[in-house]
Amino acid sequence: MENKLEITINSFEHFIYCKRRWGLIVIDGEWAENYKTIQGGFVHNLVDDPFFNEKRNEIKIVRSLPVFYDELSIHGTADCVEFIKNDNGYFIKELGYKCSINVIEYKNGEPKTKGVV
């Protein structure tokens, strides 16, 4: 039987920030809440709504969107994703047109990077 480590998207940030911390959280299951993680949980509760579905002009907005890549056993939930109608973007079958994709994650502090996929 093959043993696979299932990786969540948020574990990538832990790995980039500190490989030791990533190992403690992902491999050893060690986790301790602090005021920042508790505050982050409150923010996520405000935006965590898988039934939120909005369209603003050429932008389709979805919250709590499950994302995954089965080949690598990577999965997670994006806080908010904007699908912006764009003829040079990716074809989204469910929408029926091409889009640029903007993933928005809610975090404490300043954003590390910004961009449209």
Side-chain angles (χ1 to χ4, degrees), residues 26-115:
V26 174
I27 296 171
D28 296 338
E30 298 285 330
W31 177 258
E33 293 283 356
N34 62 36
Y35 77 95
K36 291 240 183 222
T37 60
I38 293 169
Q39 187 179 38
F42 287 127
V43 170
H44 274 95
N45 287 339
L46 293 174
V47 300
D48 187 20
D49 183 357
F51 301 106
F52 181 89
N53 195 346
E54 181 179 359
K55 184 159 180 155
R56 296 182 191 170
N57 298 322
E58 300 291 312
I59 303 173
K60 171 83 168 173
I61 303 165
V62 178
R63 291 194 182 153
S64 303
L65 181 68
V67 292
F68 54 90
Y69 186 53
D70 285 337
E71 282 184 46
L72 297 177
S73 294
I74 297 171
H75 65 90
T77 303
D79 292 340
C80 182
V81 179
E82 296 175 335
F83 297 93
I84 305 157
K85 194 169 186 178
N86 178 344
D87 291 334
N88 296 318
Y90 301 96
F91 182 76
I92 307 298
K93 182 175 139 184
E94 290 78 5
L95 297 176
Y97 51 84
K98 289 184 175 184
C99 301
S100 295
I101 302 167
N102 189 19
V103 179
I104 302 166
E105 286 294 313
Y106 295 92
K107 302 281 184 200
N108 283 328
E110 295 297 315
K112 294 177 181 78
T113 60
K114 290 183 180 181

